[in-house]
Amino acid sequence: MRASTALLLSLVATPSFTLSPPHPPRAVARTARAAATMASDCVLPAGLEKLVKAMASLPDDKYRYKQLLHWAAEAPSLSEEARIDANKVPGCLSTVHVTAELRDDGETVEIRGDSDAQLTKGLVVLLAKGLTGATPAEVSLVDASFIRKAGVAASLTPGRNNGFVNMLNVVKAKVAALDG
């Protein structure tokens, strides 16, 4: 038997493959689960809830990551006067500073933050955008689990996740001091 005939017979003898229906990517399934449970177990200020839903609606982790980097690039830096130890977030892999103050209305807060790393700065901007305009009482009720609902936690290292929790805790403590 010639080599070409042997090759043809081996191709013909190969079992056929059946195609199964396509499945949605895991990221889409995660996004759908996150959106379904969004309102059920976490109380968020309106601004933060809007951002969480927007992030969760992005098609995959890559787009959420890019959004954080975009926010970091467009956000202003904190002044040198605000970059003091009292505003530094402990336990972060990057150097992070956050400030909180009452707005002119005396009822809502304004959060600002900065970091020497772009991804971390994006996370600070997420907090600042989401919590600015909230009352101190609303800020006190925010649970760090919202980062999972936003679909962001999956693309963060454990160290960055811990740093994010520390950022939120420092913001909450600063806001509580304003209310006291």
Side-chain angles (χ1 to χ4, degrees), residues 8 21 25 34 38 42 49 59 61-62 71 74 118 120 126-127 129 137-138 146 149:
L8 182 59
M38 180 87 54
C42 191
E49 184 173 351
D61 294 343
K62 181 174 111 177
W71 283 338
E74 75 175 9
Q118 289 298 97
T120 308
L126 172 64
L127 285 174
K129 284 177 174 274
E138 290 173 322
F146 82 84
K149 291 178 177 67

Side-chain angles (χ1 to χ4, degrees), residues 15 36 39 43 71 106 119 143 177 179:
V43 177
W71 283 338
L119 179 60
D143 186 273
D179 200 32

Side-chain angles (χ1 to χ4, degrees), residues 106-125:
E107 295 179 16
T108 60
V109 298
E110 183 156 346
I111 309 298
R112 291 190 186 103
D114 203 356
S115 175
D116 61 350
Q118 289 298 97
L119 179 60
T120 308
K121 185 171 182 174
L123 292 169
V124 171
V125 173

Side-chain angles (χ1 to χ4, degrees), residues 1 19 24 31 62 88 106 130 166:
M1 184 185 315
L19 296 176
T31 300
K62 181 174 111 177
K88 191 172 179 180
N166 291 341

Side-chain angles (χ1 to χ4, degrees), residues 87-148:
N87 293 334
K88 191 172 179 180
V89 176
C92 282
L93 299 174
S94 305
T95 303
V96 180
H97 293 90
V98 294
T99 64
E101 57 188 38
L102 282 176
R103 295 171 113 186
D104 290 338
D105 64 12
E107 295 179 16
T108 60
V109 298
E110 183 156 346
I111 309 298
R112 291 190 186 103
D114 203 356
S115 175
D116 61 350
Q118 289 298 97
L119 179 60
T120 308
K121 185 171 182 174
L123 292 169
V124 171
V125 173
L126 172 64
L127 285 174
K129 284 177 174 274
L131 297 177
T132 292
T135 65
E138 290 173 322
V139 173
S140 72
L141 295 175
V142 174
D143 186 273
S145 65
F146 82 84
I147 197 74
R148 287 192 304 272

Side-chain angles (χ1 to χ4, degrees), residues 47-92:
L48 186 57
E49 184 173 351
K50 183 178 176 182
L51 291 175
V52 167
K53 286 181 179 179
M55 291 293 279
S57 72
L58 293 174
D60 61 36
D61 294 343
K62 181 174 111 177
Y63 286 99
R64 286 184 277 279
Y65 196 89
K66 283 184 173 185
Q67 181 61 54
L68 290 172
L69 294 177
H70 173 73
W71 283 338
E74 75 175 9
S77 297
L78 281 179
S79 66
E80 285 301 317
E81 296 83 35
R83 293 178 191 219
I84 58 174
D85 285 342
N87 293 334
K88 191 172 179 180
V89 176
C92 282

